[in-house]
Amino acid sequence: MANVLFHDVLIPLLLILLVVVPVILAVAFYVYWERKVIGWMHVRMGPNKIGPLGLAQTFADVFKLLLKEVVAPSKSSRFLFFLAPVLAVGPAFAAWAVIPFSDGAVIANINAGVLYLLAMTSLGVYGVLLAGWASNSRYPLLGAMRGAAQVISYELAMGMALVCVLLLAGSLNLTDIVHAQAGGKGLFSWFWLPLLPMFVIYFVSGVAETNRAPFDVTEGESEIVAGHMVEYSGAAFALFFLAEYTNMITVSFLCSLFFMGGWLSPVQGWIHLGGPSWLAWLWNGGWPWLFIKAFFFATCFVWFRASFPRYRYDQIMRLGWKVFIPIAIVWILVTGGLKYMGLAGTA
């Protein structure tokens, strides 16, 4: 009985904490990094007062939110009102169960990992919808409907991009997808090259699905203030905030895994050098490469926010339905041809 409790309960719980706690800390430092980068781009200082180099600013904001009173509208559906942020943040963390950081470094190395990811990332829209509907207010409802339509539209484009990845990798397992990119040509063996249009579509769709600028019409402050989160405060608002930034980090890691070789080195197969074992990851690959690639994509989210004006809602819908989806359909056929002719595919 003790062994069953240890192996079936305690070890999975420790593995979950080993992922969830670093993700929460990553969100905190990501917010700090976003403020600093936008400050540099706009010739401002960014956080610089609380803690060394302003590093404690985000933690101060977290404590401020957690200590604030959570107020629910008098005519809201209270159960659904408080359930919505949980439904938003739960799937965002659950998706990390199948994300590998290197060979064997994953909580659940399941064969249907991509299907699990699609299921988890799709569930977040229920939190947005419930938040808007349960608030019993016009602005949140309008923001929720915008968010739901936007997420569904770009989820289709992301799904089609993943179909191309699956065609080349021949597997739904994320570790196998990375191994399929381990050819002898380094970064030119990765899927970004044969799937370049789908790579762009996947990342841009990820920006849209997370409701980030320039696709942040769900929270267009000039029109509907904070969208589905208008009536939320304190810890409930913090959960929505946490879910959004967690999803951004998730998309950054998935772009690295699906198209940029994951933990593989860009010079793997080209250079074989000796030296200290702690430097071997530079040419043999390892988890630092995955984190470097994910950090680049995460910084792109910030770069877009500081650079581009917000799209109109009709422009967002047109881009998803009339541009991305037709290109994705065509490139699925192109990918099938490349695979059939042996020009791209499993390494």
Side-chain angles (χ1 to χ4, degrees):
M1 184 65 182
N3 287 336
V4 171
L5 180 66
F6 180 75
H7 290 287
D8 295 346
V9 178
L10 292 181
I11 288 181
L13 183 60
L14 288 173
L15 289 173
I16 290 169
L17 290 176
L18 197 61
V19 172
V20 169
V21 173
V23 168
I24 293 175
L25 292 175
V27 167
F29 287 110
Y30 188 18
V31 174
Y32 170 81
W33 178 245
E34 178 177 31
R35 290 174 171 178
K36 294 298 284 188
V37 170
I38 292 178
W40 295 330
M41 295 183 75
H42 292 173
V43 198
R44 295 184 285 105
M45 293 295 293
N48 64 342
K49 298 296 183 184
I50 303 178
L53 303 177
L55 283 168
Q57 178 66 60
T58 304
F59 297 96
D61 293 338
V62 169
F63 285 116
K64 179 185 72 174
L65 281 173
L66 294 179
L67 294 174
K68 278 188 173 182
E69 181 182 2
V70 180
V71 180
S74 58
K75 295 185 179 180
S76 65
S77 174
R78 291 183 65 86
F79 174 73
L80 296 179
F81 183 82
F82 291 115
L83 178 64
V86 177
L87 284 180
V89 77
F93 280 111
W96 286 86
V98 297
I99 295 180
F101 300 101
S102 65
D103 270 324
V106 58
I107 293 178
N109 191 29
I110 59 177
N111 291 328
V114 174
L115 290 181
Y116 175 85
L117 274 175
L118 289 173
M120 289 299 105
T121 53
S122 300
L123 284 175
V125 71
Y126 289 101
V128 173
L129 275 174
L130 281 181
W133 185 83
S135 297
N136 196 23
S137 178
R138 271 60 172 183
Y139 280 162
L141 182 60
L142 180 59
M145 296 306 295
R146 279 184 172 190
Q150 181 173 318
V151 168
I152 291 170
S153 301
Y154 284 89
E155 188 78 27
L156 288 172
M158 292 180 77
M160 290 183 178
L162 291 186
V163 168
C164 295
V165 173
L166 300 181
L167 279 172
L168 294 188
S171 175
L172 291 165
N173 183 288
L174 273 75
T175 301
D176 291 344
I177 290 173
V178 174
H179 288 161
Q181 301 175 66
K185 302 175 183 177
L187 63 91
F188 295 107
S189 297
W190 300 346
F191 288 162
W192 69 270
L193 188 57
L195 302 180
L196 184 58
M198 306 310 292
F199 174 37
V200 174
I201 286 174
Y202 185 86
F203 186 57
V204 175
S205 297
V207 176
E209 193 180 4
T210 52
N211 296 319
R212 289 286 297 183
F215 304 101
D216 56 337
V217 293
T218 305
E219 308 163 32
E221 58 269 3
S222 61
E223 311 145 39
I224 52 177
V225 199
H228 60 284
M229 298 185 292
V230 166
E231 304 293 348
Y232 284 87
S233 61
F237 176 84
L239 287 178
F240 276 115
F241 193 84
L242 177 63
E244 177 180 318
Y245 278 79
T246 301
N247 285 328
M248 290 161 59
I249 296 173
T250 304
V251 170
S252 301
F253 271 86
L254 293 180
C255 279
S256 306
L257 291 167
F258 289 139
F259 298 97
M260 297 299 292
W263 55 83
L264 302 178
S265 167
V267 295
Q268 193 164 349
W270 293 356
I271 300 175
H272 300 279
L273 298 176
S277 58
W278 60 272
L279 270 180
W281 64 270
L282 282 173
W283 42 86
N284 294 329
W287 62 266
W289 277 118
L290 176 60
F291 281 75
I292 290 170
K293 297 167 187 176
F295 179 77
F296 169 76
F297 288 117
T299 304
C300 286
F301 277 92
V302 180
W303 180 21
F304 296 160
R305 178 181 177 183
S307 303
F308 299 113
R310 180 182 296 122
Y311 273 37
R312 290 198 320 265
Y313 192 69
D314 63 300
Q315 293 174 325
I316 292 175
M317 290 294 102
R318 185 184 303 117
L319 179 66
W321 287 100
K322 293 187 176 181
V323 179
F324 281 1
I325 291 179
I327 292 175
I329 292 173
V330 170
W331 213 257
I332 288 174
L333 299 176
V334 172
T335 304
L338 292 174
K339 176 76 172 181
Y340 178 75
M341 291 184 290
L343 298 176
T346 306

